[in-house]
Amino acid sequence: VQLQASGGGLVQAGGSLRLSCAASGHTFSSYSLGWFRQAPGKEREFVASISWRGSSTYYADSVKGRFTISRDNAKNTVYLQMNSLKPEDTAVYYCTAAVGSLVLVARGLIDYWGQETQVTVSS
Protein backbone atom coordinates (compact mmCIF):
# COMPACT_ATOMS: atom_id res chain seq x y z
CA VAL A 1 0.00 0.00 0.00
CA GLN A 2 1.27 3.44 -0.91
CA LEU A 3 -0.01 6.29 1.24
CA GLN A 4 0.23 9.97 0.35
CA ALA A 5 -0.78 12.53 2.97
CA SER A 6 -1.74 16.11 2.21
CA GLY A 7 -3.58 19.06 3.71
CA GLY A 8 -1.05 20.29 6.23
CA GLY A 9 -0.16 23.93 6.61
CA LEU A 10 0.11 26.89 8.93
CA VAL A 11 -2.91 27.85 11.01
CA GLN A 12 -3.55 30.03 14.05
CA ALA A 13 -4.49 28.52 17.38
CA GLY A 14 -8.19 27.75 17.47
CA GLY A 15 -8.31 27.15 13.74
CA SER A 16 -8.99 24.01 11.73
CA LEU A 17 -7.29 21.86 9.14
CA ARG A 18 -8.31 18.69 7.35
CA LEU A 19 -5.65 16.18 6.44
CA SER A 20 -6.21 13.66 3.68
CA CYS A 21 -4.37 10.49 2.85
CA ALA A 22 -4.86 8.76 -0.47
CA ALA A 23 -3.97 5.09 -0.75
CA SER A 24 -3.13 2.91 -3.69
CA GLY A 25 -1.71 -0.50 -4.40
CA HIS A 26 -3.86 -2.88 -2.39
CA THR A 27 -7.40 -3.41 -1.21
CA PHE A 28 -7.75 -0.27 0.84
CA SER A 29 -10.99 -1.25 2.52
CA SER A 30 -9.45 -4.28 4.24
CA TYR A 31 -7.03 -2.21 6.35
CA SER A 32 -7.40 -0.37 9.61
CA LEU A 33 -6.06 3.15 9.16
CA GLY A 34 -4.53 5.65 11.49
CA TRP A 35 -2.68 8.89 11.99
CA PHE A 36 0.49 9.45 14.00
CA ARG A 37 2.48 12.60 14.61
CA GLN A 38 5.94 13.61 15.67
CA ALA A 39 6.80 16.98 17.13
CA PRO A 40 10.36 18.35 17.09
CA GLY A 41 12.44 16.69 19.74
CA LYS A 42 9.68 14.28 20.73
CA GLU A 43 8.85 10.69 20.01
CA ARG A 44 6.28 9.77 17.43
CA GLU A 45 2.84 9.37 18.99
CA PHE A 46 -0.52 7.90 18.08
CA VAL A 47 -3.31 10.33 17.15
CA ALA A 48 -6.32 8.40 15.85
CA SER A 49 -7.35 5.16 14.15
CA ILE A 50 -10.39 3.80 12.36
CA SER A 51 -11.64 0.31 11.59
CA TRP A 52 -11.80 -1.05 8.07
CA ARG A 53 -15.53 -0.37 7.81
CA GLY A 54 -15.26 2.99 9.46
CA SER A 55 -17.70 1.99 12.17
CA SER A 56 -15.21 2.26 15.05
CA THR A 57 -12.71 4.96 15.93
CA TYR A 58 -10.07 5.41 18.61
CA TYR A 59 -8.33 8.61 19.73
CA ALA A 60 -5.45 9.72 21.84
CA ASP A 61 -6.66 11.58 24.92
CA SER A 62 -4.83 14.69 23.77
CA VAL A 63 -7.03 15.06 20.67
CA LYS A 64 -10.31 13.52 21.82
CA GLY A 65 -13.21 15.87 21.17
CA ARG A 66 -11.18 18.04 18.78
CA PHE A 67 -10.09 15.66 16.01
CA THR A 68 -12.24 13.35 13.91
CA ILE A 69 -10.96 10.51 11.76
CA SER A 70 -13.04 9.22 8.88
CA ARG A 71 -12.59 7.22 5.71
CA ASP A 72 -14.12 6.90 2.28
CA ASN A 73 -13.38 3.44 0.92
CA ALA A 74 -14.81 4.34 -2.48
CA LYS A 75 -12.15 7.04 -2.78
CA ASN A 76 -9.40 5.08 -1.00
CA THR A 77 -8.92 8.04 1.30
CA VAL A 78 -8.73 8.60 5.04
CA TYR A 79 -9.24 12.00 6.63
CA LEU A 80 -8.33 13.73 9.85
CA GLN A 81 -10.46 16.76 10.66
CA MET A 82 -8.63 18.84 13.22
CA ASN A 83 -10.53 21.57 15.07
CA SER A 84 -9.62 23.86 17.94
CA LEU A 85 -5.97 23.44 17.09
CA LYS A 86 -3.35 24.23 19.71
CA PRO A 87 0.34 25.08 19.33
CA GLU A 88 1.15 21.69 20.86
CA ASP A 89 -0.49 20.04 17.84
CA THR A 90 2.43 21.28 15.75
CA ALA A 91 4.09 18.21 14.25
CA VAL A 92 4.60 16.21 11.12
CA TYR A 93 1.63 13.93 10.66
CA TYR A 94 1.78 10.45 9.11
CA CYS A 95 -1.02 8.27 7.87
CA THR A 96 -0.72 4.54 8.37
CA ALA A 97 -2.36 1.29 7.38
CA ALA A 98 -2.45 -2.04 9.16
CA VAL A 99 -3.94 -5.46 8.73
CA GLY A 100 -4.72 -5.59 12.44
CA SER A 101 -7.42 -3.84 14.41
CA LEU A 102 -7.66 -0.12 15.14
CA VAL A 103 -6.46 -0.84 18.67
CA LEU A 104 -3.33 -2.53 17.35
CA VAL A 105 -2.77 0.51 15.15
CA ALA A 106 -2.83 2.62 18.30
CA ARG A 107 -0.17 0.36 19.77
CA GLY A 108 2.07 0.99 16.78
CA LEU A 109 1.59 -2.32 14.98
CA ILE A 110 1.69 -0.75 11.53
CA ASP A 111 2.22 -2.43 8.19
CA TYR A 112 2.53 0.69 6.04
CA TRP A 113 3.65 4.24 6.77
CA GLY A 114 2.84 7.10 4.46
CA GLN A 115 4.72 10.28 3.71
CA GLU A 116 4.33 13.06 6.24
CA THR A 117 2.57 16.37 6.06
CA GLN A 118 3.58 19.31 8.25
CA VAL A 119 1.07 20.98 10.56
CA THR A 120 2.13 24.20 12.27
CA VAL A 121 -0.13 25.96 14.76
CA SER A 122 0.86 29.48 15.75
CA SER A 123 -0.11 31.02 19.08
Side-chain angles (χ1 to χ4, degrees), residues 31-96:
Y31 290 89
S32 297
L33 304 172
W35 291 92
F36 282 71
R37 67 186 181 186
Q38 187 167 19
K42 295 187 177 182
E43 293 187 354
R44 190 159 49 192
E45 64 175 359
F46 167 76
V47 175
S49 58
I50 187 167
S51 61
W52 67 275
R53 285 184 177 177
S55 56
S56 298
T57 57
Y58 190 66
Y59 296 94
D61 288 343
S62 59
V63 306
K64 203 172 292 183
R66 300 188 298 122
F67 290 11
T68 302
I69 188 171
S70 62
R71 65 190 293 167
D72 186 338
N73 288 342
K75 295 182 178 179
N76 285 358
T77 302
V78 60
Y79 305 97
L80 186 68
Q81 178 67 44
M82 305 185 294
N83 298 329
S84 302
L85 282 161
K86 304 175 181 180
E88 51 263 44
D89 294 317
T90 295
V92 291
Y93 284 70
Y94 300 85
C95 59
T96 65

Side-chain angles (χ1 to χ4, degrees), residues 1-3 36 44 94-97 108 110-115:
V1 175
Q2 290 81 45
L3 302 168
F36 282 71
R44 190 159 49 192
Y94 300 85
C95 59
T96 65
I110 305 299
D111 294 288
Y112 301 98
W113 291 88
Q115 292 184 326

